[in-house]
Amino acid sequence: MSFLELRREPNGMYRTEGSFNKMRVRHSLDTKDRKVARERLNDYEMAILNGQVNLSSKLKGSASQTAFSTIAKKYLRSRSTGGAKTTQQFVTRFIDEFGDMPIRSLTVEAIEDYIADYHIARGHTDGTIRRTLTALQSIINFGAKLGHCDYIKLDKPADNPHNTDTMTDEEITEIFAVLHPDVRRFATFLRYTGARPIEAINLQFTDIDWHRNLITLYSKKGRGGGTRSRTIPLHPEAKKVIPWSEPPQQTNVFTVNGRPIYDSNQLSKFWSKARDQTSLADHIGMYALRHTFATNLCRKNVPVKVVADLLGHTDLKMVVRYMNTTLDDHIKAVAVL
């Protein structure tokens, strides 16, 4: 009975993989012909059984023994990969899990076991598992680029449908009536600018051009976590909730009870408390105001590129998610015929 498996690399070359006497076996068969590869696999197995191949000596090479933690730390230091806060969190977790395990021995099977033990057992969502596998694959393939292991492609769960909850004017009026006054100012700003909550939290008075009615929003996006900015028109209703002074203050625009807002979770608690007093569904969060801003623009036939620019999206496909339609939209569309 064969104890090694036949595997095909992305470049079409075959290799063999498995274990013998608790030692991991990986060996290139140097052919793209499956029949030839099968014959070489059988010959290699026989050589192992007959003692003609010393597996312990094959593991002494520095590349074969390079620890996962070593590659992961190099990945973090690389200007082209590490740097984002989320990346650092993933790498720290992976180092805790895989540590000094040779990166070459981190196979698909070992990763599947990790996902089952760490994520599935804890009831994590497909989205979380997908992000984990994507990050882990990137680190391993970074190691492959450096010559320490083989390239790997992991099967990931399908991406979950993006949550694009929106709110009606009646729902907004209902929850605004019971929101903390400072949080209502903040929410009004989101409603009429489409800003991300974190962008509004970080907004400074110096980011406002009062004479031209423009605001500049800043956010960190992308692999490198670099700062992006965009300047958008300041809607009159949004302008009303921003206190004006001369000269302009040098502080954050939005506060709660006179103190700076430290993160969006602080605001979510106020929002959830107010939502419990309304008829809004439990899954409607403050981010729905940004979705509503975008959806309303789409319904008024604002060009998709303009909507994308206002939202800070570089991918037009992201805007399509906000093009929610209703039965009333369908009736109006058919009536045009």
Side-chain angles (χ1 to χ4, degrees):
M1 181 176 177
S2 179
F3 56 89
L4 297 179
E5 297 180 8
L6 188 64
R7 298 289 180 85
R8 190 178 187 184
E9 302 283 6
N11 62 4
M13 297 293 287
Y14 281 95
R15 64 177 169 81
T16 184
E17 181 179 302
S19 60
F20 180 75
N21 288 342
K22 298 183 179 180
M23 289 186 289
R24 197 70 185 167
V25 179
R26 293 173 67 92
H27 177 69
S28 175
L29 298 172
D30 296 323
T31 181
K32 294 184 179 181
D33 187 302
R34 184 175 181 84
K35 183 178 179 180
V36 173
R38 175 57 64 184
E39 293 174 352
R40 292 181 180 178
L41 184 153
N42 292 336
D43 291 342
Y44 190 68
E45 283 187 327
M46 289 301 298
I48 292 175
L49 292 172
N50 294 331
Q52 296 172 307
V53 175
N54 187 346
L55 294 178
S56 60
S57 65
K58 290 177 71 63
L59 291 175
K60 291 180 180 178
S62 60
S64 297
Q65 290 293 80
T66 303
F68 173 86
S69 59
T70 300
I71 299 301
K73 291 173 183 177
K74 287 184 178 180
Y75 181 87
L76 267 187
R77 293 195 297 269
S78 173
R79 296 180 63 183
S80 63
T81 53
K85 184 177 180 180
T86 303
T87 300
Q88 295 174 6
Q89 292 171 342
F90 272 122
V91 170
T92 299
R93 186 193 311 160
F94 293 151
I95 290 177
D96 288 341
E97 178 67 27
F98 303 114
D100 293 331
M101 174 188 295
I103 192 168
R104 188 176 288 276
S105 66
L106 195 55
T107 62
V108 172
E109 182 180 0
I111 294 171
E112 288 290 341
D113 289 341
Y114 163 66
I115 294 297
D117 294 341
Y118 187 88
H119 290 285
I120 297 177
R122 289 172 168 80
H124 293 170
T125 65
D126 284 350
T128 297
I129 294 174
R130 181 179 181 83
R131 289 189 293 272
T132 298
L133 289 172
T134 299
L136 188 52
Q137 177 178 284
S138 296
I139 296 171
I140 295 173
N141 287 341
F142 176 78
K145 182 180 178 180
L146 299 179
H148 296 283
C149 58
D150 296 323
Y151 283 93
I152 194 170
K153 181 172 177 57
L154 301 174
D155 293 329
K156 309 173 189 71
D159 207 1
N160 296 329
H162 191 76
N163 185 355
T164 53
D165 293 320
T166 58
M167 302 173 65
T168 64
D169 289 343
E170 292 75 18
E171 288 174 330
I172 293 175
T173 298
E174 184 180 8
I175 192 169
F176 276 27
V178 292
L179 269 177
H180 183 288
D182 290 336
V183 181
R184 183 168 60 245
R185 288 196 311 116
F186 184 91
T188 299
F189 182 82
L190 300 186
R191 178 185 182 183
Y192 288 103
T193 62
R196 299 177 179 92
I198 189 61
E199 293 172 337
I201 289 174
N202 294 330
L203 185 68
Q204 305 282 311
F205 281 99
T206 51
D207 298 327
I208 304 171
D209 184 335
W210 295 98
H211 300 293
R212 295 192 296 165
N213 288 324
L214 299 174
I215 55 171
T216 300
L217 300 172
Y218 296 90
S219 63
K220 282 192 173 184
K221 296 289 289 182
R223 174 179 288 179
T227 300
R228 295 181 181 178
S229 67
R230 67 185 185 280
T231 299
I232 64 173
L234 184 59
H235 189 281
E237 294 299 322
K239 188 174 182 179
K240 287 180 183 178
V241 300
I242 301 175
W244 183 87
S245 66
E246 185 63 43
Q249 302 178 49
Q250 303 291 317
T251 58
N252 290 66
V253 171
F254 296 103
T255 59
V256 174
N257 295 326
R259 297 180 179 179
I261 302 169
Y262 49 84
D263 64 29
S264 58
N265 290 331
Q266 179 186 5
L267 297 170
S268 296
K269 293 177 181 178
F270 284 100
W271 180 272
S272 298
K273 183 178 180 181
R275 186 183 57 207
D276 291 342
Q277 303 174 52
T278 70
S279 60
L280 270 70
D282 291 341
H283 59 83
I284 301 294
M286 187 175 291
Y287 215 91
L289 294 168
R290 172 173 162 86
H291 297 162
T292 301
F293 169 85
T295 299
N296 286 341
L297 292 180
C298 291
R299 284 180 174 168
K300 295 181 184 297
N301 298 318
V302 174
V304 173
K305 181 62 170 64
V306 175
V307 178
D309 290 344
L310 290 172
L311 294 174
H313 285 315
T314 55
D315 187 349
L316 297 184
K317 293 194 295 292
M318 299 288 286
V319 179
V320 176
R321 302 188 301 192
Y322 301 113
M323 296 174 130
N324 301 317
T325 60
T326 64
L327 178 59
D328 186 50
D329 295 323
H330 300 165
I331 293 174
K332 290 179 181 178
V334 174
V336 174
L337 298 176

